[in-house]
Amino acid sequence: MSKKRILYVEDDETLAFLTADNLEQHFDVTHCANGKEAFQLFCKESFDLCVLDIMLPDMDGFEMATEIRKRNKEIPIIFLSAKTMKEDRIKGLKLGADDYLVKPYSIEELILKIEIFLNRSQKSTDNLVQKQYTFGSFQFEPENYLLKNESQNITLTEREASLLKLFLDNPNTVLKREKILMELWGSDDYFLGRSLDVFISRLRKIIKEETHVRIENIPRVGFKLVVE
């Protein structure tokens, strides 16, 4: 079986050498030190996952992730950064990243995260092949990541589509945070819980005009999609 292709973008020469050397034992790694050049390469070639530093020359990681998401809603993105502020982490997640590791990071943890997201991505793609859902004024096509009504067509990210499908498969049922995290990420650690909150917030904004559909927070337990 061919190795999964990873686009790794890091301008610190020493760190890039050490990280790429370890990743190459498991994956097919393409390293770039320049954000703009890396994005041009992304547009030309096919990758399975992106690992992005944030502070990059010409195009930083945030900008690059934004452009990647315009072209590919599904590919997993992991940020690596020395930026430790909560606001930077939340910004990264809102841009569509799947995770955010703070430098100095553990190579073993990075490899584990990559494997989890690659496996999740494949499983999500397999699981999304199913019927069309109707709720409120919306129709949802999981296979196409498409949520639409009379006024708009919204292309969801893979993670958003998987989360919405999980809710629609369990309407008016409390889903524990741990269950959702294990279903979508394969782990229920604290920071992934923060990621989940970001995706919940996105879905709430999308369906906010619906008067008979809402996502309720069940304190210290989880969430429930209420369909009246």
Side-chain angles (χ1 to χ4, degrees):
M1 182 182 295
S2 60
K3 291 182 178 180
K4 295 292 187 179
R5 295 200 67 199
I6 308 296
L7 178 59
Y8 171 46
V9 193
E10 170 62 68
D11 64 334
D12 183 312
E13 185 176 348
T14 301
L15 178 60
F17 174 80
L18 293 172
T19 300
D21 185 58
N22 280 275
L23 293 181
E24 284 168 355
Q25 298 178 41
H26 306 269
F27 314 105
D28 179 359
V29 180
T30 298
H31 169 249
C32 291
N34 179 289
K36 186 175 181 180
E37 292 177 3
F39 179 66
Q40 291 172 344
L41 185 63
F42 176 85
C43 293
K44 295 177 182 177
E45 301 185 21
S46 177
F47 295 95
D48 298 295
L49 182 143
C50 297
V51 178
L52 311 178
D53 184 29
I54 292 179
M55 302 300 291
L56 295 167
D58 295 333
M59 175 185 280
D60 68 31
F62 286 150
E63 293 175 289
M64 187 175 173
T66 300
E67 294 303 314
I68 287 174
R69 279 289 173 253
K70 290 179 182 178
R71 291 160 176 77
N72 188 316
K73 299 289 187 180
E74 294 81 42
I75 188 169
I77 297 174
I78 299 176
F79 278 128
L80 305 177
S81 179
K83 289 175 170 284
T84 60
M85 296 292 290
K86 178 180 70 176
E87 291 77 10
D88 292 314
R89 295 189 178 201
I90 297 301
K91 179 178 180 180
L93 294 171
K94 286 184 176 180
L95 290 176
D98 294 273
D99 211 335
Y100 187 118
L101 296 184
V102 176
K103 299 177 182 178
Y105 50 83
S106 160
I107 291 293
E108 290 77 10
E109 181 181 10
L110 175 58
I111 291 172
L112 179 60
K113 295 280 189 182
I114 291 174
E115 290 176 340
I116 287 172
F117 289 127
L118 289 174
N119 290 335
R120 287 284 119 186
S121 181
Q122 182 61 52
K123 183 177 179 181
S124 296
T125 300
D126 294 342
N127 289 343
L128 283 174
V129 181
Q130 196 175 327
K131 62 183 180 180
Q132 176 174 286
Y133 295 81
T134 298
F135 65 103
S137 65
F138 281 106
Q139 290 183 328
F140 174 47
E141 300 175 9
E143 184 176 359
N144 299 318
Y145 308 102
L146 182 62
L147 182 62
K148 60 185 180 180
N149 58 20
E150 292 183 354
S151 62
Q152 58 185 335
N153 287 346
I154 304 168
T155 301
L156 303 176
T157 66
E158 178 184 333
R159 200 73 60 190
E160 290 167 344
S162 297
L163 178 58
L164 180 57
K165 181 179 181 299
L166 183 60
F167 277 130
L168 291 172
D169 284 338
N170 300 275
N172 301 309
T173 302
V174 176
L175 295 178
K176 293 184 177 181
R177 293 179 68 92
E178 295 81 2
K179 174 180 173 59
I180 299 174
L181 291 170
M182 291 302 297
E183 286 283 341
L184 269 64
W185 279 277
S187 173
D188 64 350
D189 69 31
Y190 170 78
F191 187 61
L192 289 179
R194 299 299 303 276
S195 301
L196 173 60
D197 291 336
V198 171
F199 286 105
I200 292 287
S201 177
R202 289 185 194 171
L203 290 182
R204 279 177 169 153
K205 288 180 181 179
I206 292 172
I207 65 173
K208 65 181 180 180
E209 301 301 327
E210 292 289 332
T211 57
H212 299 292
V213 180
R214 63 186 181 277
I215 299 174
E216 289 187 351
N217 178 44
I218 310 301
R220 296 182 296 280
V221 179
F223 301 94
K224 178 169 67 172
L225 178 68
V226 177
V227 182
E228 297 177 349

